[in-house]
């Protein structure tokens, strides 16, 4: 069946209404901000906050009520301690009505894409969570900042580094925090990979393997580059490999190389890559072997070091993560990842502390993604000397 193609503006034109509210319960310690007051663990990050000293639960408005909002974020907000579902933004009047009833969201906290900017007048909403297709992240982050709201933006942060900087600048100008939806930075298995690698518990990490793939169907056509576009496996699932390798090694790659997988379904993968293998070259000579695909299934993060090894498999799923080392099982409990992530950001705002996953970290990854795509086009190793040197060290600093 022929797929229809439509512009982002046309897409937004077909949209129509949205909202947010509901209590929340579950806690996270201040180490989730990854810093003591006044310290920034994300080097180069300079986001600021404005509501220090507040003890109330912060209201979050979800912008876009797709599968992730419906299946993960809204249920997670019922488990949070520091924030709550306070509003929604949707283009579907039917969804708006359903969410209003299910989560007791008042009409005044329900917006669509045309009247979104009126959120500036709503004190119930402190944080806007942008859960839209990738190509729409920049616009709604900037609009949210101009409306005086703190922002969580889903990954990847934007389509290019220029958009990322515009988002960062808009939030700084508004004196509002910008955080990227990197849930695994608050997930204990992945934080243990950070700690083991960055503190060299098993000695110097010599090799990293990071793999993430899923079978993508037409249920989310934008992931396949249709409609509003901006998808593809590298941006959507390969970014976890990129992140995992970096926070395990504790270094920023100085170069990348990459090769596309052969296309086995030209109809499905006419707009985006089917998959790719890519390599990250670290300053000390360590290489991370990474691969991603929208036509396969794998989910792993492994580090081999001088005195042992440690790995997660699965590593990036919403639940059921398992970790092992050369000494045995990690024996770490799974947690509600999105609740941990949102509570951590709310604590940063409430305590006037910088987030450990700021816009600068998101821009770093978009810069690396751009370099990886350049490597696929040229067939050469691409230097990354201009990439932002931002690292999350919160698992090490405690």
């Amino acid at each position: 069946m022929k797929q229809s193609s439509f512009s982002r503006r046309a897409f937004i034109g077909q949209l129509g209404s949205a909202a947010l509210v509901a209590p929340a319960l579950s806690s996270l310690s201040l180490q989730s901000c990854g810093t003591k007051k006044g310290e920034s663990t994300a080097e180069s990050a300079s986001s600021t906050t404005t509501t220090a000293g507040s003890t109330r639960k912060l209201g979050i408005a979800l912008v876009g009520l797709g599968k992730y909002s419906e299946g993960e974020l809204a249920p997670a907000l019922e488990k949070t301690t520091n924030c709550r579902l306070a509003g929604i933004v949707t283009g579907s009047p039917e969804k708006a009505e359903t969410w209003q009833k299910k989560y007791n969201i008042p009409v005044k906290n329900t917006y669509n894409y045309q009247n979104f900017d009126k959120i500036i007048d709503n004190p119930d909403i402190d944080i806007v969570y942008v859960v839209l297709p990738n190509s729409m992240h920049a616009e709604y982050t900037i609009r949210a900042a101009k409306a005086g709201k703190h922002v969580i933006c889903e990954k990847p942060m934007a389509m290019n580094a220029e958009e990322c900087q515009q988002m960062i600048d808009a939030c700084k100008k508004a004196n509002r925090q910008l955080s990227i939806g990197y849930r695994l930075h608050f997930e204990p298995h992945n934080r243990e990979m950070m700690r083991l690698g960055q503190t060299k518990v098993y000695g110097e990490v010599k090799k990293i393997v990071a793999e993430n793939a899923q079978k993508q169907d037409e249920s989310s056509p934008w992931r396949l580059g249709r409609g509003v576009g901006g998808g593809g496996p590298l941006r959507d699932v390969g970014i976890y490999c990129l992140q995992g390798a970096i926070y395990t090694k504790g270094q920023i790659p100085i170069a990348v190389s990459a090769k596309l997988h052969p296309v086995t379904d030209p109809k499905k993968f006419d707009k985006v890559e089917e998959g790719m293998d890519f390599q990250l070259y670290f300053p000390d000579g360590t290489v991370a072997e990474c691969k991603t695909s929208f036509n396969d299934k794998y989910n792993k993060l492994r580090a081999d070091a001088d005195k042992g090894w440690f790995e997660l498999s699965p590593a990036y799923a919403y639940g059921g993560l398992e970790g092992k080392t050369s000494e045995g099982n990690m024996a770490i409990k799974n947690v509600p990842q999105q609740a941990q992530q949102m509570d951590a950001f709310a604590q940063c705002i409430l305590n006037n502390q910088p987030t450990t996953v700021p816009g600068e970290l998101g821009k770093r990854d978009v810069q690396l993604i751009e370099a990886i795509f350049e490597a696929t086009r040229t067939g050469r190793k691409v230097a990354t000397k201009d990439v932002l040197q931002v690292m999350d060290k919160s698992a090490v600093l405690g």
Side-chain angles (χ1 to χ4, degrees), residues 274-337:
E274 181 171 326
M276 68 168 69
D277 296 332
F278 61 97
Q279 295 75 40
L280 309 178
Y281 301 91
F282 293 102
D284 68 352
T286 301
V287 178
E289 296 287 347
C290 309
K291 68 176 178 177
T292 187
S293 174
F294 265 172
N295 199 28
D296 210 337
K297 288 186 178 181
Y298 35 81
N299 198 306
K300 179 179 181 181
L301 176 60
R302 179 184 173 97
D304 290 289
D306 283 330
K307 302 174 185 177
W309 55 268
F310 43 106
E311 72 171 32
L312 304 180
S313 182
Y316 319 106
Y318 296 147
L321 276 58
E322 295 184 9
K324 297 180 180 179
T325 75
S326 47
E327 296 180 296
N329 292 335
M330 287 184 182
I332 296 173
K333 291 183 179 180
N334 281 267
V335 300
Q337 299 171 11

Side-chain angles (χ1 to χ4, degrees), residues 72-120:
E72 302 297 333
L73 295 178
L77 279 161
E78 295 186 298
K79 302 174 183 176
T80 52
T81 298
N82 305 305
C83 49
R84 64 190 179 91
L85 180 57
I88 51 175
V89 183
T90 179
S92 167
E94 294 78 15
K95 281 187 179 180
E97 184 177 356
T98 299
W99 280 64
Q100 286 169 348
K101 291 178 180 177
K102 184 173 182 178
Y103 294 105
N104 193 29
I105 297 170
V107 172
K108 71 181 181 67
N109 290 5
T110 302
Y111 298 87
N112 59 43
Y113 296 96
Q114 287 73 43
N115 68 13
F116 170 76
D117 302 297
K118 292 183 179 179
I119 205 168
I120 191 174

Side-chain angles (χ1 to χ4, degrees), residues 154-198:
E154 258 310 305
K155 56 81 193 162
M157 182 177 175
M159 294 302 296
N160 54 60
E162 182 179 0
E163 285 186 347
C164 292
Q165 191 59 51
Q166 291 169 357
M167 296 159 73
I168 292 168
D169 291 344
C171 289
K172 285 182 178 177
K173 184 176 181 179
N175 198 30
R176 290 296 180 265
Q177 283 229 46
L178 170 59
S179 179
I180 309 305
Y182 288 147
R183 58 188 166 83
L184 296 180
H185 287 248
F186 309 95
E187 191 286 315
H189 294 82
N190 281 270
R191 287 179 65 82
E192 180 66 355
M193 293 294 286
M194 293 185 209
R195 187 187 72 84
L196 293 174
Q198 292 184 29

Side-chain angles (χ1 to χ4, degrees), residues 357-372:
V357 287
E360 289 85 351
L361 192 67
K363 180 179 177 180
R364 179 202 74 184
D365 294 338
V366 170
Q367 289 176 310
L368 288 167
I369 287 171
E370 290 178 322
I372 291 168

Side-chain angles (χ1 to χ4, degrees), residues 9-88:
R9 287 295 174 188
F11 174 80
I12 295 175
Q14 293 177 5
L15 303 174
S17 168
L20 243 209
V21 146
L25 288 119
S26 178
S27 63
L28 196 61
S29 70
L30 284 176
Q31 74 175 28
S32 305
C33 291
T35 176
K36 297 176 182 177
K37 192 164 185 178
E39 293 179 339
S40 173
T41 60
E43 299 155 3
S44 309
S46 54
S47 300
T48 58
T49 55
T50 58
T51 54
S54 175
T55 56
R56 68 187 180 87
K57 289 184 178 181
L58 300 184
I60 294 183
L62 299 178
V63 184
L65 304 183
K67 292 180 180 178
Y68 192 57
S69 286
E70 182 180 14
E72 302 297 333
L73 295 178
L77 279 161
E78 295 186 298
K79 302 174 183 176
T80 52
T81 298
N82 305 305
C83 49
R84 64 190 179 91
L85 180 57
I88 51 175

